[in-house]
Amino acid sequence: MPFINGIELCRRFDMEVVEPVLTDTYPYLSYSSALMGPGSEVLGYDTEMSTDHDWGPRVYLFLNEQDIGYSDQIQGSLHARAPERFYGFPVDVRMSVITTVPKFIEGCLAINRDEPIEPVDWLTFPSQSLLEITRGAVYRDDHRLLYNLRNQFDYYPQDVWLYLMASSWQRIGQEEHLMLRSGFIGDELGSAIIASRLVRDIINLCFLMERQYAPYPKWFGTAFKHFKCSDQLMPYLWIAQTATTWREREHAFNDAYKHLSKMHNGLKVTEKIPNDVSYFYDRPFKVMNGEGVARLIANQIVDADMKLLAETRLIGNIDQITDNTDFRKINGWTDGEGQYARTALKKLILPKKMEDH
């Protein structure tokens, strides 16, 4: 059977199967339908290999809260009328989700939609979860429920964005010289490990500079390839990643840092930074001084809580704190554990004096 990408397949499924069922059986219901949530097809990266599990014709149906009681009936109607195969692909109606916008948001981010979102809340949202809200496709949107939702989470607020960029530069500044120092004493393996960490931090910074949410690791490099900066940076980062000597890594990173400087200056969020690297104290290797750039960015933060946080600890968000997959999924933990875990994470991020503030 010819492959159809998931966004298009689900659009056809919605138009040819779901909408006729709802129009014929529940014409009085208003709703929204979309392909959102987890899955490579939501990001647009699915291929024929993706079809072997958790892939197929499906939609998210969003009902008004007063209508959610129709869920079982709608599921039954879809089961009765949906074909066994759709454009050659097997149909499992159970893959379609019937929910409400507040319930969907609670499952993705462990927040109550009726409560205001504070800037620090954004630090507890994994970027992959934000992609699951803002990517994919909307097929129908009565009362603009999904439009308003996706607009709300389109990207980080300005001061959160500045804080995350400052935290990324801080991470680079903390380890750029360690890669060189370990190589200088003959530890090429240790140097290479730190180089890999720096490559990831630089790419994460590029996501922030280009105002894009970063996907989970499988599609991290794929998404980066589509960036404006990737053509210039990719050769340097690949050399840094594959080099066998620390001097090769140093030269590659220095070329990358020069381009990052130009990108930063193009954002015009701080005074201009030098477009070149400099020696790390009296040692025979050069660095970018990422911590200095971090401080310049942090000084531009206006929001009182974020400013206080930046002055106290530039540790970033959940993605910058850990790469543990299960921990990054804390917002999706069931039975109320997600909200409890997210509250605990906020307390970890917030210094005690901010709580008093």
Side-chain angles (χ1 to χ4, degrees):
M1 71 188 77
F3 176 72
I4 304 173
N5 69 68
I7 288 178
E8 174 60 19
L9 179 67
C10 294
R11 183 191 68 79
R12 297 181 189 181
F13 183 69
D14 177 71
M15 181 176 64
E16 299 175 26
V17 177
V18 176
E19 188 165 344
V21 167
L22 289 174
T23 299
D24 293 346
T25 315
Y26 310 95
Y28 44 84
L29 290 181
S30 62
Y31 66 94
S32 298
S33 60
L35 177 64
M36 296 167 63
S40 299
E41 65 270 39
V42 174
L43 302 180
Y45 298 137
D46 52 323
T47 65
E48 291 188 33
M49 184 177 288
S50 306
T51 65
D52 63 357
H53 73 287
D54 298 334
W55 188 97
R58 65 186 179 95
V59 294
Y60 268 79
L61 284 178
F62 295 90
L63 303 181
N64 296 322
E65 292 187 71
Q66 65 269 24
D67 297 328
I68 195 61
Y70 288 99
S71 296
D72 289 343
Q73 293 172 254
I74 294 172
Q75 198 83 32
S77 297
L78 289 173
H79 188 270
R81 288 182 52 175
E84 291 187 2
R85 302 188 76 83
F86 185 74
Y87 284 88
F89 299 98
V91 175
D92 183 354
V93 172
R94 292 171 299 179
M95 290 179 62
S96 291
V97 176
I98 304 175
T99 186
T100 65
V101 167
K103 189 174 181 181
F104 175 73
I105 287 301
E106 183 179 349
C108 285
L109 304 178
I111 59 173
N112 186 327
R113 185 76 191 281
D114 295 329
E115 296 178 1
I117 299 175
E118 301 173 350
V120 176
D121 285 314
W122 285 85
L123 305 183
T124 69
F125 302 154
S127 57
Q128 171 62 30
S129 296
L130 293 169
L131 281 173
E132 292 173 7
I133 297 170
T134 57
R135 292 285 290 273
V138 174
Y139 306 125
R140 173 170 171 158
D141 194 17
D142 293 350
H143 308 304
R144 295 166 66 87
L145 294 177
L146 297 184
Y147 172 85
N148 294 331
L149 172 67
R150 287 153 75 92
N151 188 58
Q152 179 182 9
F153 293 101
D154 181 60
Y155 202 62
Y156 300 113
Q158 176 75 5
D159 283 340
V160 175
W161 176 61
L162 292 173
Y163 175 76
L164 294 177
M165 283 200 297
S167 298
S168 291
W169 277 110
Q170 180 87 342
R171 286 174 62 96
I172 291 170
Q174 289 170 339
E175 296 202 348
E176 55 184 341
H177 61 287
L178 301 183
M179 181 204 72
L180 303 170
R181 181 72 171 110
S182 59
F184 186 77
I185 61 173
D187 180 12
E188 291 291 1
L189 176 59
S191 176
I193 291 172
I194 300 172
S196 295
R197 291 166 58 90
L198 286 167
V199 167
R200 183 176 61 178
D201 288 339
I202 287 172
I203 295 177
N204 267 321
L205 179 59
C206 290
F207 273 95
L208 291 166
M209 285 183 165
E210 298 210 6
R211 293 179 179 267
Q212 298 290 326
Y213 293 131
Y216 65 115
K218 178 167 62 172
W219 303 118
F220 186 68
T222 299
F224 175 64
K225 289 179 182 179
H226 296 290
F227 284 4
K228 298 175 184 176
C229 65
S230 65
D231 286 345
Q232 290 80 20
L233 282 175
M234 188 75 77
Y236 304 139
L237 298 181
W238 184 245
I239 292 172
Q241 180 72 64
T242 59
T244 57
T245 68
W246 70 274
R247 277 299 188 193
E248 290 179 274
R249 296 182 201 106
E250 178 188 28
H251 295 320
F253 275 120
N254 286 347
D255 287 333
Y257 294 146
K258 293 173 186 177
H259 190 75
L260 286 178
S261 298
K262 294 178 183 177
M263 290 176 62
H264 172 81
N265 288 334
L267 295 174
K268 298 181 180 179
V269 294
T270 71
E271 62 191 68
K272 283 194 172 185
I273 62 174
N275 283 331
D276 206 351
V277 292
S278 57
Y279 282 104
F280 184 72
Y281 294 95
D282 294 330
R283 300 182 182 183
F285 34 77
K286 294 182 177 181
V287 296
M288 181 66 216
N289 186 23
E291 291 178 281
V293 182
R295 186 47 52 197
L296 287 175
I297 298 173
N299 288 341
Q300 307 306 310
I301 295 174
V302 175
D303 178 83
D305 286 346
M306 294 304 298
K307 189 174 185 65
L308 184 57
L309 178 57
E311 292 170 351
T312 307
R313 54 187 71 167
L314 281 173
I315 60 174
N317 63 358
I318 186 172
D319 295 327
Q320 293 168 317
I321 293 171
T322 181
D323 60 3
N324 182 278
T325 298
D326 289 335
F327 190 82
R328 285 186 179 184
K329 291 181 177 179
I330 60 171
N331 292 335
W333 292 353
T334 57
D335 300 325
E337 290 184 340
Q339 284 189 321
Y340 176 82
R342 197 177 68 80
T343 300
L345 178 59
K346 284 179 67 176
K347 290 182 178 180
L348 173 67
I349 294 172
L350 289 171
K352 181 64 170 65
K353 63 179 180 179
M354 182 183 291
E355 295 177 1
D356 298 336
H357 180 77

